[in-house]
Amino acid sequence: MKIRNSLARLVIRLGTVAVLLAAAVFVADRLPYPTDVEAPFLSSGTVGQTVSTPTVTLQVQGATIADKLQLVSRVVAANGHWLVVEGTITSRRGPGYGYAQLIIGGRTYTPDNRAPTGTFPVSMQPLTAGIGQHGVWVFEVPDEVLKTPTAQFRAWVGDLSEIPRFFPRIPSITLDLDDRHTPRVSRIAPPKSVIVTS
Amino acid sequence: MDGGPDQSDAVWRRPGTTATDAQADAQPDPAEPEPGFIAAQIAKVKQWFADLQIQQMWHLIAGAIVLATAGFGGMDTVEPKPTTFAADQPHNTGQLTLVVHRAAVKPSLGTGQRVVFQPEDGRRYLALLATVTNNGTVPATFGAFGRTLIPVDVPYQTAYPAPVVRVSDASPAIVQPAATEDVIFVWNVPESAVTSRTTIEFRVPNRRFGDYLTGYGKGWVDLPTYADITVPVAVAG
């Protein structure tokens, strides 16, 4: 169809441009974000179980909830409670640090920066591929969050405290937070990480 | 004035016409039908526009611009109105609930046993004591993407060793989700900028959880809206 009227042609062109731009904005606003698209695949496990992924092997021995953290020269009271997760982590692909997150009731907790040297993620020495290290991750968790029955403990080996990109497979260990599975103590001295020789 | 070829009285120059014919053409033909009312009005408006001079057209355009601006709400209220909050009153930034207690300017800051923020020549530490509750689902690290409090009209540098420290042991503050912590915000400021001050205003941007505009990841990013707080400062030494 040939439209001879120049005004009609202009209106049709402007309308087409407006519709195309609006459609592009509509689509762009609804595109998934890379963190959603590249979200990690979780390998679920329980306490005591060894969970292996292509990059990391993780075994969690258990967790402890403490009121106070014993450091070398002082005692640090928690703003809530200390949740100390004990486990063995082995890098299977390359060197890095054993980073971890604790997910409780949709909230994400990271290892506390007041934890002593030698606890994960900054252990005594970086993880080396194939050589496991046994140690603890120290989290500070508010009291009301500890009423949640379970927590997810996720760990990976890398250079950043962010979860790696591009579909990582990350072990996700379910911790039961009740008294029977997670003992309460008044004071805990987190041990330094040691290399597992077996 | 010289009669040009297109002047109506020069019609005698054109071949095949006479002056009487031209005069007859100038008069409306009584046999032609009268234009309708709307057509007549349109013709009138067209004629009014055609009669405008260039300068009058500019006036018309200026008027249209003013009307269009007014149609979009004018030029005054595009900037959001600044809100204020008072010391010792909780203020929600979206990410954090902030209770500002007091501020001080000191040459050095320490815990009593040791000096954490070392004294520097010509510099002072502007310190603000606040109680912070993290309302979000990720730890508040007070990191690179956005600032919680910004001193207004005070030039500052990031204080070493950390811009935000815990009151309890002066360690770099990270407030975990749902946790409440007493923290001190510290800025390294020039001595001359603060010694004569009695109050300092702080700007607190509102924040929302979303995608970072640059870089990769999700976190709390600043909104264009903010709230201001004016805190009296005690300037020491």
Side-chain angles (χ1 to χ4, degrees):
Chain A
M1 187 176 72
K2 194 157 187 174
I3 299 162
R4 297 204 171 274
N5 187 344
S6 64
L7 180 69
R9 230 163 44 191
L10 185 71
V11 166
I12 287 169
R13 275 185 192 179
L14 287 179
T16 311
V17 167
V19 165
L20 281 177
L21 284 178
V25 169
F26 184 85
V27 171
D29 281 352
R30 280 152 186 80
L31 282 179
Y33 194 72
T35 41
D36 305 325
V37 176
E38 304 164 0
F41 292 104
L42 299 173
S43 301
S44 299
T46 53
V47 172
Q49 190 183 347
T50 302
V51 178
S52 273
T53 72
T55 54
V56 63
T57 300
L58 179 71
Q59 189 196 19
V60 171
Q61 271 86 39
T64 309
I65 290 174
D67 296 333
K68 287 175 180 163
L69 195 68
Q70 175 75 55
L71 305 189
V72 175
S73 58
R74 64 198 175 101
V75 175
V76 184
N79 205 344
H81 276 89
W82 297 104
L83 198 156
V84 180
V85 179
E86 187 184 357
T88 304
I89 187 168
T90 311
S91 170
R92 298 185 67 183
R93 195 160 279 177
Y97 289 96
Y99 289 102
Q101 283 180 350
L102 195 66
I103 318 284
I104 308 178
R107 295 188 173 101
T108 303
Y109 291 84
T110 51
D112 199 88
N113 60 347
R114 284 166 294 177
T117 319
T119 58
F120 291 125
V122 185
S123 49
M124 296 307 280
Q125 47 209 314
L127 292 166
T128 311
I131 301 175
Q133 286 190 33
H134 179 89
V136 294
W137 289 265
V138 179
F139 298 92
E140 187 192 42
V141 181
D143 284 338
E144 80 244 34
V145 178
L146 288 177
K147 290 170 188 158
T148 315
T150 60
Q152 304 287 321
F153 177 78
R154 295 168 188 172
W156 65 94
V157 173
D159 301 320
L160 288 172
S161 58
E162 299 290 321
I163 286 182
R165 288 184 71 172
F166 307 123
F167 316 107
R169 276 181 59 192
I170 289 179
S172 179
I173 310 294
T174 304
L175 304 172
D176 289 313
L177 295 181
D178 56 68
D179 297 4
R180 205 159 57 81
H181 294 93
T182 307
R184 267 66 170 169
V185 297
S186 64
R187 182 182 293 195
I188 192 166
K192 292 191 189 309
S193 63
V194 290
I195 286 174
V196 177
T197 50
S198 57
Chain B
M1 191 195 270
D2 264 347
D6 286 326
Q7 283 184 319
S8 57
D9 62 346
V11 77
W12 55 271
R13 291 171 185 268
R14 294 180 195 150
T17 52
T18 60
T20 47
D21 281 348
Q23 276 163 7
D25 281 350
Q27 302 296 324
D29 193 348
E32 236 172 62
E34 278 276 318
F37 175 76
I38 292 170
Q41 294 306 311
I42 289 172
K44 226 182 209 176
V45 171
K46 276 185 173 173
Q47 191 58 43
W48 183 80
F49 273 110
D51 288 346
L52 285 179
Q53 294 176 4
I54 298 292
Q55 213 175 1
Q56 289 172 313
M57 288 180 189
W58 281 118
H59 295 166
L60 211 65
I61 288 169
I65 288 171
V66 168
L67 283 178
T69 311
F72 283 107
M75 298 174 74
D76 214 4
T77 54
V78 175
E79 278 269 307
K81 257 192 169 174
T83 54
T84 57
F85 65 104
D88 295 319
Q89 298 292 317
H91 169 70
N92 189 356
T93 68
Q95 179 192 19
L96 307 166
T97 298
L98 198 69
V99 185
V100 173
H101 298 299
R102 59 180 189 271
V105 173
K106 293 192 174 174
S108 69
L109 293 168
T111 59
Q113 286 101 36
R114 63 197 172 98
V115 178
V116 180
F117 293 89
Q118 300 289 339
E120 289 176 28
D121 284 346
R123 310 290 296 186
R124 289 286 182 270
Y125 291 106
L126 168 61
L128 182 136
L129 175 66
T131 304
V132 167
T133 304
N134 187 351
N135 300 327
T137 57
V138 294
T141 54
F142 307 102
F145 291 98
R147 291 155 293 177
T148 306
L149 290 140
I150 306 161
V152 180
D153 291 338
V154 177
Y156 64 88
Q157 288 181 328
T158 305
Y160 180 84
V164 188
V165 294
R166 293 188 180 94
V167 172
S168 54
D169 59 355
S171 58
I174 293 171
V175 180
Q176 300 288 337
T180 302
E181 189 92 49
D182 288 333
V183 298
I184 301 177
F185 294 82
V186 187
W187 297 269
N188 184 334
V189 297
E191 189 183 349
S192 56
V194 287
T195 41
S196 59
R197 302 289 288 258
T198 55
T199 62
I200 288 179
E201 190 182 15
F202 294 91
R203 182 147 294 176
V204 186
N206 293 325
R207 312 187 80 186
R208 74 176 169 82
F209 192 78
D211 310 331
Y212 294 138
L213 291 180
T214 58
Y216 167 83
K218 272 188 179 196
W220 287 92
V221 290
D222 287 2
L223 288 168
T225 56
Y226 55 84
D228 288 336
I229 179 168
T230 305
V231 187
V233 285
V235 180

